[in-house]
Amino acid sequence: MHLNGKRILILGGKTGLLGQALTLAFKRTGAKPIPLSSKDCDILAPDSVEKLLDRHDPDIMINAAAYTLVDLAEDNEEMAFALNATAPPLLATLAAKRQIPFVHYSTDFVFRGDRQSPYSVYDEPTPFSVYGISKADGERGLLKLGYGKTLIIRISWLFGPGKINFVEKILSLCDSRDTLSVVNDQTGSPSYAPDIAKNTLHLLENDATGIYHLANSGQTTWYGLAAKAVELAGKDCTVEPVPSSAYPTKAERPAYSVLDLSRFTKTTGAPPRHWEEALREYVHKDLKLGTR
Ligand SMILES: NC(=O)c1ccc[n+]([C@@H]2O[C@H](COP(=O)([O-])OP(=O)(O)OC[C@H]3O[C@@H](n4cnc5c(N)ncnc54)[C@H](OP(=O)(O)O)[C@@H]3O)[C@@H](O)[C@H]2O)c1
């Protein structure tokens, strides 16, 4: 599909970390993004989404809206399930009525993480946190609906401009502390939001449907990601590796959730770039740190 001139409705496109990157990426290709936030329409009220569909008559609908607060989800089960499990198939039904492609994002947290080899798109979800279970339910709802123009993209460990994220938090903590302790027993693949956005466009250009995994290439731990960011930013701060037990969180995280990107590479012809290269761009160009 050619994206030039196409109208793209992006739920979460105005205020979400990924949504903002999608909005920019579509603009750059000559498409016409229609970015939305919860103030423009509520994905829990399909009528409000339908009104916007009638008004804008988009060629593609993208759902980058979700309940993403992993720890708070443990106490806000109802809201997490409403946004992550109930809403996606309702949105896809609206896309199906218009026969337009529907793109939805899911997460590496649908996997338990009790192994040491990358998760393939053919692996069954094995979630255990409320967030992970709600996102896996959303995927299941979409697969059950069976609308053929649905693209489900699982991503992991998102960072990028436009909204506070792990990397930015680490770098700003460096301004008030000499030492930071970061967990070193959870391994995953960092994803630079602008790269996820650009690669989503590649999938659409290739008319991809079904489940895809997308992240930057390579893998690391949260400690590895933090240490590299601090080094690139040239901050005078020591990063220490610690076990997860040093930082108990309400929701348990998978110990290993690296995503196998081979389906993406096969479809588009090229693998995503390495996370360190993407992190360098984020720290130097977006945050304007460490270049002097
Ligand atoms: N962040 C990560 O590390 C990560 C990792 C793996 C997967 N993912 C997945 O990637 C996708 C994007 O995540 P993100 O981190 O970019 O999300 P985010 O920054 O938390 O943004 C969520 C977006 O959803 C919108 N939203 C929330 N409730 C809504 C409602 N009732 N109606 C309409 N819009 C609503 C928010 O709008 P308001 O600002 O108006 O509330 C916001 O634009 C999600 O599916 C997430 O599960 C994220």
Side-chain angles (χ1 to χ4, degrees), residues 208-222:
T209 59
I211 299 179
Y212 276 80
H213 286 173
L214 200 45
N216 283 110
S217 295
Q219 62 180 57
T220 188
T221 63
W222 292 111

Side-chain angles (χ1 to χ4, degrees), residues 11-19 36-39 41-44 63-69 83-84 104-109 131 135 154-159 163 222:
L11 298 156
K14 208 181 259 178
T15 49
L17 178 53
L18 176 61
L36 304 167
S37 74
S38 63
K39 292 203 176 85
C41 75
D42 181 0
I43 61 168
L44 300 178
N63 180 29
Y67 188 96
T68 56
L69 303 167
L83 284 167
N84 296 344
H104 174 75
Y105 291 91
S106 191
T107 169
D108 57 326
F109 282 20
Y131 171 72
K135 293 293 289 185
R154 293 193 188 119
I155 61 172
S156 55
W157 294 30
L158 197 62
F159 68 94
K163 193 164 182 174
W222 292 111

Side-chain angles (χ1 to χ4, degrees), residues 186-224:
Q186 291 167 26
T187 299
S189 299
S191 300
Y192 180 44
D195 284 1
I196 296 291
K198 198 174 63 185
N199 287 328
T200 295
L201 268 59
H202 290 326
L203 286 174
L204 284 167
E205 282 160 350
N206 282 283
D207 299 314
T209 59
I211 299 179
Y212 276 80
H213 286 173
L214 200 45
N216 283 110
S217 295
Q219 62 180 57
T220 188
T221 63
W222 292 111
Y223 160 76

Side-chain angles (χ1 to χ4, degrees), residues 23-276:
T23 298
L24 207 61
F26 278 112
K27 250 185 213 159
R28 283 196 180 127
T29 58
K32 294 175 183 151
I34 303 148
L36 304 167
S37 74
S38 63
K39 292 203 176 85
D40 302 304
C41 75
D42 181 0
I43 61 168
L44 300 178
D47 284 0
S48 74
V49 183
E50 186 136 42
K51 262 188 204 145
L52 284 169
L53 288 167
D54 287 343
R55 189 190 312 158
H56 296 287
D57 191 23
D59 301 295
I60 298 173
M61 178 176 179
I62 298 194
N63 180 29
Y67 188 96
T68 56
L69 303 167
V70 177
D71 290 312
L72 285 180
E74 297 293 316
D75 293 325
N76 288 316
E77 237 174 272
E78 206 175 315
M79 188 52 92
F81 274 86
L83 284 167
N84 296 344
T86 310
L90 295 176
L91 296 171
T93 304
L94 298 177
K97 257 166 89 174
R98 290 170 164 75
Q99 285 296 300
I100 57 172
F102 178 71
V103 182
H104 174 75
Y105 291 91
S106 191
T107 169
D108 57 326
F109 282 20
V110 300
F111 295 117
R112 173 162 295 281
D114 53 356
R115 65 188 230 190
Q116 284 297 318
S117 60
Y119 282 97
S120 126
V121 293
Y122 305 107
D123 284 319
E124 278 299 313
T126 47
F128 55 95
S129 64
V130 169
Y131 171 72
I133 295 168
S134 69
K135 293 293 289 185
D137 269 14
E139 291 181 5
R140 213 178 3 257
L142 289 171
L143 296 175
K144 195 167 162 214
L145 180 70
Y147 175 47
K149 292 184 181 174
T150 299
L151 172 59
I152 300 171
I153 306 176
R154 293 193 188 119
I155 61 172
S156 55
W157 294 30
L158 197 62
F159 68 94
K163 193 164 182 174
I164 189 79
N165 60 82
F166 173 79
V167 173
E168 200 183 339
K169 261 184 226 161
I170 288 289
L171 294 178
S172 60
L173 279 173
C174 286
D175 296 336
S176 53
R177 298 202 204 156
D178 296 330
T179 306
L180 292 178
S181 305
V182 183
V183 299
N184 197 32
D185 53 6
Q186 291 167 26
T187 299
S189 299
S191 300
Y192 180 44
D195 284 1
I196 296 291
K198 198 174 63 185
N199 287 328
T200 295
L201 268 59
H202 290 326
L203 286 174
L204 284 167
E205 282 160 350
N206 282 283
D207 299 314
T209 59
I211 299 179
Y212 276 80
H213 286 173
L214 200 45
N216 283 110
S217 295
Q219 62 180 57
T220 188
T221 63
W222 292 111
Y223 160 76
L225 178 58
K228 192 72 198 171
V230 169
E231 180 197 315
L232 287 167
K235 296 271 182 187
D236 191 14
C237 184
T238 305
V239 185
E240 280 180 354
V242 291
S244 307
S245 54
Y247 280 106
T249 49
K250 188 97 189 182
E252 206 188 320
R253 266 79 170 163
Y256 181 93
S257 60
V258 177
L259 300 172
D260 173 349
L261 310 178
S262 55
R263 188 171 190 210
F264 170 82
T265 304
K266 206 168 156 196
T267 299
T268 62
R273 65 176 165 168
H274 197 273
W275 67 266
E276 286 189 17

